[in-house]
Amino acid sequence: MSNICSLVVSLALLVVVTRWLTPTEIGSFVVAYAIFAILESLRLLQIVSYVIQASDFDYNLMRRVQFVGLVATGAILAVSLLVGQILAIGFATSDVSNLLLIMSGAYVLKAIAQPSLAVLHREMRFDRIATVKLVGAAAKVLTTIGLLFAGWREEALAIGIVVEIACEISCVFFVKSRYAFPKPSRSGTGPVWDFCFKFSGAQLVSTLPQHAIDVIVASFLGLAAAGFYNRANRLVQVARSGIEGAIFPVALAVFSKSDKADRGTKGSNYLSAISLLTGFTWPCLALLIVAAEPIILTAYGPEWVGIVNYVQILAFAAIVFAATAMADPLLASVGAVNILLKRNLLIQIPRLIFVLAAVQLSLIAVSWAAVVTMLVVNVVTAHILKREFEIGYRKLLKALWQSAALSIVCVAPVWTLLKFTEFRVYNIGAVAAVAIATGIAFWTLGLFILGHPIASELKRFISKLRLKFLSAQS
């Protein structure tokens, strides 16, 4: 429920900001945030993942983790200030540099919250984490919208990011104080640095091209083009983030619970998890493709109708990616960070090449480059899954066919409705609402007709609620 609330909050902010700011202003923020996110992935050093998978967890481990986190934070702060000056020169404006400077304050706040957040993940206290994330998302929305009404422009977005991250500090109240504020210790940090550099390197190879695309688009096609492309990409990400944000941390914890040598159990868990993930994401993304125009007109307004094709292509790329999306937590659970790094190098280097070639043509070409990249992702990842966990294409297809059929059941009525009616003559907001409601209704129906694993999970969840209700009454 908390993830649904976070999704709604994120979507509300996306709509308000897109209607309020110009494409150029959004593009300035997009470039600054891209640099912030790249540096943040370095600052994090995947310390949370290290704590989750560590076999021996105690106060001394947390002291080592705290030392590594603080050193990384100091280094990234210095790099951020330097990069800000370079951006001011490169774009001939201080807007991007100033936004990055504001967001850099979040590095210190994240360093304070990181130890306790890692403990909560290890203890699988996802209810607490979800509460903190929801409060942070709400605070960001209120702050950003309040500042927009007060006359601030793109700076409101940067300040909202800092406020959201400040809320993560409340994690310290949910763990023992010595774990929340461990005294840093340099002694014995060698294994921590080794794991974190390798895993963080693997993640950076994945994160860098993802955010570098915004910078590349802005550099070649201008800040306004970066704003258009980002709004399309953000809409697709919002459709994915609530689902993936809920499933991925749980998946890593579940994968890590079984013996590292028990590849068979991990492979079975992976297939179950990917079936559940695609059962949500594929119908959602398929619905976005079919109803892209009314959804965009309702959410962003008529001046953004030109991004309809970008949204459809990027949503299709996300569908392709979802088939092997959970390989990262699976490989991390067995400590295969070297394999993860090699995989991401094989994927992301071609991705940058595709984008650099496509940006010479148009934003449509950049969008199709994302599809080609995801096809490469699937081929490389499927090869690794087969070699490391004996998960071949036949097993993957067996785990995914119900999700594919469910997507068709979900969107076929919506496509028919929009295809054979002149929906533009009606209230576009009502059309979007009917399309989404129809998709949800047929998705729910399809779950039980097809016997999708999500249906079993829903039945189990409803049974638990019923028992709690009866227990409360008695």
Side-chain angles (χ1 to χ4, degrees):
M1 182 60 69
S2 60
N3 277 282
I4 294 176
C5 293
S6 297
L7 184 64
V8 172
V9 168
S10 298
L11 182 59
L13 182 61
L14 178 64
V15 170
V16 172
V17 168
T18 305
R19 286 179 170 271
W20 199 287
L21 301 179
T22 67
T24 300
E25 290 171 332
I26 292 174
S28 297
F29 171 76
V30 163
V31 173
Y33 183 78
I35 302 299
F36 167 79
I38 291 170
L39 295 178
E40 172 60 7
S41 66
L42 280 172
R43 192 210 64 79
L44 285 174
L45 278 179
Q46 296 303 313
I47 286 174
V48 171
S49 297
Y50 178 81
V51 173
I52 290 174
Q53 62 84 49
S55 55
D56 298 320
F57 173 75
D58 56 19
Y59 177 63
N60 288 328
L61 180 142
M62 294 304 297
R63 291 185 64 190
R64 296 191 290 271
V65 163
Q66 180 76 315
F67 176 83
V68 171
L70 292 176
V71 171
T73 298
I76 292 304
L77 271 174
V79 173
S80 178
L81 295 175
L82 176 61
V83 172
Q85 298 304 311
I86 295 173
L87 290 174
I89 298 172
F91 286 99
T93 174
S94 61
D95 292 347
V96 178
S97 176
N98 291 338
L99 292 171
L100 179 59
L101 181 64
I102 293 171
M103 286 186 283
S104 295
Y107 294 139
V108 177
L109 299 175
K110 274 187 168 287
I112 297 172
Q114 195 168 13
S116 52
L117 188 61
V119 174
L120 291 177
H121 273 287
R122 180 182 176 87
E123 296 177 349
M124 299 181 70
R125 297 171 68 181
F126 299 113
D127 55 334
R128 301 292 190 184
I129 297 171
T131 300
V132 170
K133 296 292 184 182
L134 180 59
V135 170
K140 178 177 72 172
V141 170
L142 293 175
T143 300
T144 303
I145 294 177
L147 290 174
L148 287 173
F149 272 104
W152 295 64
R153 302 298 295 177
E154 61 267 40
E155 298 89 349
L157 300 176
I159 296 173
I161 293 291
V162 176
V163 171
E164 178 185 29
I165 293 170
C167 292
E168 288 189 8
I169 295 178
S170 58
C171 285
V172 304
F173 298 110
F174 299 132
V175 300
K176 294 180 181 179
S177 58
R178 64 175 186 165
Y179 290 152
F181 300 105
K183 183 180 178 181
S185 173
R186 181 182 177 183
S187 176
T189 56
V192 183
W193 285 113
D194 182 64
F195 176 92
C196 289
F197 270 132
K198 288 179 179 178
F199 195 17
S200 182
Q203 293 299 100
L204 179 63
V205 170
S206 177
T207 304
L208 179 61
Q210 176 183 345
H211 293 290
I213 290 172
D214 289 323
V215 180
I216 291 171
V217 170
S219 300
F220 283 87
L221 301 177
L223 290 172
F228 283 119
Y229 185 80
N230 178 265
R231 291 301 89 174
N233 200 29
R234 281 288 297 137
L235 190 59
V236 175
Q237 288 178 350
V238 166
R240 295 169 47 194
S241 61
I243 301 165
E244 293 180 358
I247 293 178
F248 276 34
V250 179
L252 178 57
V254 171
F255 294 156
S256 299
K257 287 298 179 182
S258 58
D259 191 331
K260 287 186 178 182
D262 188 2
R263 299 295 180 96
T265 299
K266 290 184 182 293
S268 178
N269 289 340
Y270 176 84
L271 292 173
S272 298
I274 206 71
S275 178
L276 292 173
L277 174 67
T278 54
F280 285 108
T281 56
W282 278 4
C284 181
L285 292 167
L287 181 60
L288 180 58
I289 291 173
V290 171
E293 185 173 346
I295 289 174
I296 289 169
L297 287 173
T298 301
Y300 291 171
E303 63 273 18
W304 292 88
V305 72
I307 70 170
V308 168
N309 290 336
Y310 309 149
V311 169
Q312 291 172 323
I313 297 169
L314 292 171
F316 177 66
I319 288 175
V320 175
F321 171 72
T324 54
M326 301 185 74
D328 282 20
L330 178 64
L331 291 170
S333 71
V334 297
V337 290
N338 286 328
I339 295 175
L340 193 57
L341 177 58
K342 292 176 182 177
R343 164 188 173 267
N344 287 346
L345 282 172
L346 287 172
I347 292 168
Q348 301 302 340
I349 292 177
R351 182 181 190 181
L352 278 179
I353 295 173
F354 296 152
V355 171
L356 285 170
V359 79
Q360 311 299 324
L361 302 175
S362 64
L363 283 180
I364 285 290
V366 174
S367 301
W368 279 112
V371 176
V372 175
T373 299
M374 295 313 163
L375 290 172
V376 174
V377 169
N378 275 4
V379 171
V380 173
T381 305
H383 174 74
I384 294 173
L385 291 176
K386 185 176 182 179
R387 185 186 65 195
E388 299 294 327
F389 302 95
E390 297 184 354
I391 301 175
Y393 282 107
R394 182 175 296 180
K395 290 183 178 180
L396 273 175
L397 290 174
K398 186 177 179 181
L400 296 173
W401 78 266
Q402 288 175 305
S403 296
L406 181 62
S407 301
I408 295 172
V409 171
C410 173
V411 302
V414 178
W415 179 85
T416 304
L417 176 69
L418 298 177
K419 179 69 175 179
F420 297 102
T421 60
E422 291 294 332
F423 68 86
R424 295 172 188 82
V425 303
Y426 300 102
N427 181 286
I428 203 66
V431 172
V434 169
I436 294 172
T438 302
I440 293 173
F442 277 87
W443 174 79
T444 305
L445 182 64
L447 285 177
F448 296 96
I449 292 176
L450 295 168
H452 195 281
I454 293 177
S456 300
E457 295 297 324
L458 284 176
K459 290 178 181 177
R460 190 177 296 112
F461 177 70
I462 293 171
S463 296
K464 287 182 179 179
L465 287 181
R466 183 182 177 186
L467 288 174
K468 286 183 178 180
F469 177 74
L470 294 175
S471 176
Q473 282 191 325
S474 61

